[in-house]
Amino acid sequence: MLRFFVFFLYSISSFAQKNTVISGKVVTEKDSPIESATIYLMHPKDFSIVVYTLSDKNGHFKLETKSGSQNNILKISAEGYLEFSDTIEKRTQNIDLGVVRLMKYDVELDEVIIKNEAPIRIKKDTIEFNASSFKLRPDANVEALLKELPGVTIDMDKKIMVNGKKVNQVLVNGKPFFDADGKIALQNLPAELIKKVQVSDTKTKEQEFTKQASTSENVSINLTIDKKKNKGFFGKLLGGYGSSEKYESSALLSYFKDKRRVSFLASSNNINASGFSMNEVFDNMGGGRNDGSGGSFGSRGGIIKSNMIGISYTDEWFKGESTDLNYYFNNSNADNTNKTSELTLLPTGSLLSKSASKSDQDSNRHNVSLNFEYKVSPSIKVFFAPAIQTGKTVSVNAFDRKTWDENNQLINSSNSFNTTQSNNTNFRNNLRFFLNAKKEGRYFTASFENENSRNDLDSKVNSLTVFAEGTSPDDLRNQNVTQKNNRDKYIGNLQYFEPVTDSLRLNFSVITDYEKTSDDKKTFDRNGQDMEYDVFNESLSNFNSFNSFGVNPKVGFSMSIKKLDLSASAGTSVIRTENHAFYLNETIDLNKNYFIPNGTISANYSISQSQSVLMMYERKYTIPSGNQVLAVADLDNPLVVRTGNPNLKASTFHFLQTGFSSYNFESDSGYFLHFSTTYFDNQIVGASAYNSSGKQISTFDNVEGTYDMLLAGEWNKRIKKDVNTFGLRFSLYANYNLNKGFTNNQLYEAKAFRLNPGFGFTYEYGELLNIQPYYNFTYNDIRYNNTSLSSTSNTTHNFNVEITNFWPKNWVFGNDFGYNYNSNISGPYKRDFYLWNTSLSYKFAKQFTFKVKVYDLLNQNQSTSRTITSTAVVDSESNVLKRYVMFSLLYKFKNFVTNES
């Protein structure tokens, strides 16, 4: 700790050292200002980047750097212009370069662009970073590289933001590296492989082909591999064993040559690391670390053993073709023990239920997916993406529950022991065709999507429900339930784009949607004489199906005027549904027709290369499903009787979102603001009534005027002084919702407010020390109307700090310490706890790393939560991983064939 304060005082003193400023204005040959030109200083010996900035919308720039007697090379680069270069001698005073004119390329030669050394380049709708311009530790991964890029933040949950926008996919050479979310690539790809990091607004396949502006608030990151190193292999092998029979193992092998990539991964552990998650300091322990999301606090409940194996193959077999093939196998066992207290709010009085459950679940899943893209000609492209998933799950569940009324009188109790085996198959396919006509701006696209799923269940049910009050009879079940669920969905979409002017296009589309679902359930009681399940139970058996067919013609336009991209479309969905049920030897049919106007408006205004405003409005809807409209009783749960409402209407709502993002590359700081709201003209909600036995009679109804609102913002800044780097991040999320429903035939309202501010700080001392404290506060408040409780609230505090020390050489000492507090959690549940994980590693023989890791060093870990809803307050606690020690050995290898030509 003393060492940290010495570093801190040294870094503060560095701020007082004299800096010099190099300023000027970048213009074209015709004296027009050039925005987002890159101005940077380089060391003449190794050509490493000293400092850089971008010109503003008026072409002005200020490059601040520490005074020094060493000469440096100054370069100014902009897309489409010849690079300016000059030598700056002995930076002892400010330098004003005046007006710097850049000459346009007569022809933009690709090889000239590729050789450009600018650390950052703005290219139309893409920000491109030169990976070699950012200094990293040896053996750093892609995640470490991204953290060095201006405008990029990565939180503790590995959520990536760029200039205030969420990253929803990370690609490698334009293709996923196993998963589109990029987590495997971030933590396992060596940073030295990467040539460029390209950031752009996320587009659909149609938007890419038809050159439309993005209508998404998300961005995509594409990592391009350095062609000089795009041949070779790399990998890592990990094995570990510890106390309490805890173990972990994983392997990643990847071979690549030009456009071909073959990767293999596998993992096996019993420390809650599902899938393939590797942390540089804690390895697979990252799967069981502190997690305060979702309103709960503490690490995730339950103990999970998981095994997985995966293969990914990417190649281009012939010119214009691209193939991406992936296969996964997952096997897992989840053991969960849970205790829950639930307070159900009624117009008068309340119900208190306390339950305990224990479940054990084994599952196996196979996943195969293919992405095939072929550019038949310059004007024709096809895309084909089938995927199939098959699996089997076996679960055993024991459950016990007791319910009391507001007078503390026991009104019912139940217990059950159930076993279920399910076999499921899901097939998805996405076929797209794109045609670019001879006339520029005229496009035709066609797509066909289908999803076909089959799920067969076989359950043994043993339960007893006793009603201590009221007239409901006790319920005893010893049954075998078989159920077949089928779903087939097909969507077709035809689009035509016709240019009117250079900036205006009309578009016409027709979307067809067909869906068919069926649920065939048969229940057999156990025969007391021969102990076989051969007595058919009509009241707990039924068959129902749901068919819908819809057509949605739309007309719209899109236009681009300077910095504004605007698009709009409108149409009317015509939908017919056929609902059918066979129950208690009776046939029930109900057909419904819907005519629902819908549409969307999207506008994106680029104030500058680093500032933009996005606005989107959508008129949307959801139609009720078969079980929501069919008057057929569902008696699966002895404590709940659920029926549909034949008079139920479709949900219709308005969705509006707007966002503003800004990033200043000169000050390395940025912020974003986001506002979204959904307003329901008509919403489908639950309607429940409770009898004197505490049994719930539930159906569905419509309400009007409900809404939810979200306001979010974040500000971040990074300061670099010599070997010291400081990072600051403030965030604020606020939600306000109005919910309605019916309880005991009375309309209730619940107004919910949630406030969630957070503060994060990072400090790095060169390659030796990294400190990341973070504090998050959440306040929940709900005000009720027409319930026995007028209001309830709770607060949670979550503090976490990660400290990683990379000194002495070859040693890494990491600590992850967290404190969590929940103000109003009730009963026997503990309100606060500490979670401290630590890791000490030593690297030897260049490729081996030995680690000693301790999870939950203080042995305090727990998983408790309070969930506040419109009708209930729920407190819950689950079993979690407890303290263990893990010893592991990591082997990393790589061999890149370097081509210097």
Side-chain angles (χ1 to χ4, degrees), residues 144-162:
L145 169 62
L146 294 184
K147 287 181 177 179
E148 293 297 313
L149 305 182
V152 178
T153 61
I154 304 178
D155 66 14
M156 296 175 62
D157 296 323
K158 305 303 180 184
K159 183 179 71 175
I160 311 172
M161 305 284 286
V162 178

Side-chain angles (χ1 to χ4, degrees), residues 228-242:
K228 295 180 180 179
K229 300 178 181 179
N230 199 15
K231 182 180 180 181
F233 58 87
F234 68 90
K236 57 172 65 174
L237 302 172
L238 170 73
Y241 190 79

